[in-house]
Amino acid sequence: MSPMVTVFVTLLIGVPLFVFATIFFVRTMKKSNSPVGAMLFGLHLSIVGGILLLDPRIEHIVLPYGLLFLGVILSFLAFRKLDSV
């Protein structure tokens, strides 16, 4: 893939996905007493990021690592909230 395509894909997929994940996490943590949905969403992001890391065709490595770390952080924060409830 050319660098222009990877930047384009990152801007069209990566940035909206990060924004959606953050909005979803904040809404879930505010609405419910049990943040299991946010925890599962974080685990899902971690799994998707890990699968994308295994793909040798991805040249722009920021998206998979970003998904992986965002998923871990969301899961950890939701687990802390679940532990305090």
Side-chain angles (χ1 to χ4, degrees):
M1 251 187 326
S2 71
M4 191 62 167
V5 172
T6 55
V7 169
F8 187 68
V9 168
T10 302
L11 289 177
L12 284 181
I13 295 174
V15 173
L17 187 62
F18 289 141
V19 170
F20 172 74
T22 307
I23 291 171
F24 177 78
F25 178 71
V26 169
R27 284 186 182 173
T28 303
M29 295 297 273
K30 284 184 179 179
K31 285 185 180 179
S32 70
N33 291 333
S34 177
V36 175
M39 189 183 304
L40 291 175
F41 186 67
L43 291 174
H44 175 72
L45 284 178
S46 298
I47 290 170
V48 169
I51 290 172
L52 288 176
L53 276 174
L54 294 176
D55 189 8
R57 294 175 293 173
I58 294 182
E59 296 173 4
H60 196 62
I61 203 77
V62 174
L63 178 65
Y65 274 118
L67 287 174
L68 187 68
F69 289 130
L70 180 66
V72 169
I73 290 169
L74 288 178
S75 297
F76 178 72
L77 291 176
F79 184 73
R80 276 188 50 197
K81 170 114 179 170
L82 182 69
D83 193 32
S84 67
V85 170

